[in-house]
Amino acid sequence: MQRFRLLVEYDGRPFSGWQRQAGTPSVQETLEEAARKIAPHERIVVHGSGRTDAGVHARGQVAHIDLEREISADNLQGALNYHTKGWPVSVLKSEVVPDSFHARFSAKKRHYIYRIINRRARLTFDKGLAWHVKTPLDADAMQDAAQVLVGQHDFTTFRHIHCQAKSPVKTVDYIHVERQGDELLVKVGALSFLHHQIRSFTGTLQLVGLGKWTKADLKAALEARDRTALGLNAPSDGLYFDRVEYDCDQAAAPTGPTSMA
Amino acid sequence: MQRFRLLVEYDGRPFSGWQRQAGTPSVQETLEEAARKIAPHERIVVHGSGRTDAGVHARGQVAHIDLEREISADNLQGALNYHTKGWPVSVLKSEVVPDSFHARFSAKKRHYIYRIINRRARLTFDKGLAWHVKTPLDADAMQDAAQVLVGQHDFTTFRHIHCQAKSPVKTVDYIHVERQGDELLVKVGALSFLHHQIRSFTGTLQLVGLGKWTKADLKAALEARDRTALGLNAPSDGLYFDRVEYDCDQAAAPTGPTSMA
């Protein structure tokens, strides 16, 4: 048996999310069905480093898969990309790793990027790939307020009511809000996140950017530890699972300008 | 009568090109039909600064339109974007200009960018939006060879046989080939271009990047003044009409990171 680590990019638009669900297409199922064509007699499971919701994208999701069949890492990449044709999923990298590596449990830090396009005109290329906010946003105010969320907190306010995590306490390592022309990037890193945490952060920070909320309002919402104190949940369109870090490497970053990091 | 100058972005994938053609969707027709809804009793013509072929994109196409109906530039932008809904066309900017302004004849320089994604793995987000070249390309060799094409030349070799220009002589102001991670950008500027000129440049430069052609081969192809000496015509997918410069302004550049300039 060999364990392979895969770096996976996907456009989340046609998927009901990462996780396999009966009756709707998922990224996990798309990869597992492709792997089944390569090793039809094996029990195939593709383990992701984290789930993404319906419509959420990935530049650098990491997954692992075990195969009895002998195949090189390069051939596995080529075969998976061949058999996922027709779906916007692509294996950017494939490598053999020790059995001790686990895409989910070995992960030390997860990095997400949320893209907002802040202009009056409708989106063309980026429809479904960014949140379109027409009113000018104050990125500096958003960056300043966001620092309230950094560190260890009870994030009940920023957690979906169906979140399955045992505790609402998480540690956010950083949040950076940056403007690049008419695009705003909200970059967030942590060991792990609650369900909808980044979308809840971004939706509420957008209220700060519009001048409707102050930094103090954001702090009060956090301290309320109450989902009803949430300002707004941002749509899935702008969210990208950017990369995962593991102890065994510097960073599992996708190369190239396709990474927005 | 008022003349409006429009800055237009479009994803070329669903269009047969800029120019109106019976029976197939074009960007010009999409904009003209939208304008007709605003001014139903007027003879509507949208003049572009240059035509783009089927599948070619624009970040900063410029067009002008004359309207008898009184409307502010802002409302015209909003109304055009409303009535082009469903198509990946967006008016980024609208302003009133003197009648002496002509989108095509007043243009002083046109800037195009050709995107190549140079990686083994299939494209996801960029399918139809870049040329996918799997074999590693030597961007430095391409940049060096490209300088052969700069200046005034007879570009018959790099001209589509249906090109309607009177003369094959054009002046290319610059060509820059730049690598950004796994993306290569070929940036070209000139007063005007022959039909398929940039795609022919890029296709042939790609042969240099692969090591199949030398700079001397490229020079010989140019000097042959013969279409059959062309190496390769690149697909429409990667070509973007980036911006147009006019005497009356510094640059009609779209703002923001969506511009790849």
Side-chain angles (χ1 to χ4, degrees), chain A residues 36-47:
Chain A
R36 205 153 280 141
K37 297 223 171 83
I38 301 161
H41 305 296
E42 297 187 41
R43 189 182 123 69
I44 300 286
V45 184
V46 174
H47 297 267

Side-chain angles (χ1 to χ4, degrees), chain B residues 3-81:
Chain B
R3 179 160 293 183
F4 296 90
R5 168 175 164 173
L6 308 172
L7 182 67
V8 186
E9 174 182 282
Y10 50 86
D11 176 342
R13 284 177 288 186
F15 297 109
S16 59
W18 167 265
Q19 200 180 20
R20 189 183 261 275
Q21 284 179 54
T24 58
S26 64
V27 181
Q28 188 184 25
E29 183 188 14
T30 303
L31 288 168
E32 288 178 352
E33 293 307 313
R36 205 154 278 141
K37 297 223 169 82
I38 300 161
H41 305 297
E42 297 188 41
R43 189 181 123 71
I44 301 285
V45 184
V46 174
H47 297 268
S49 66
R51 297 175 190 173
T52 52
D53 270 347
V56 173
H57 319 289
R59 293 285 186 185
Q61 166 76 282
V62 173
H64 80 260
I65 183 172
D66 294 335
L67 291 177
E68 296 293 338
R69 186 195 145 168
E70 283 200 19
I71 185 168
S72 72
D74 266 11
N75 287 347
L76 178 63
Q77 183 193 5
L80 286 173
N81 283 342

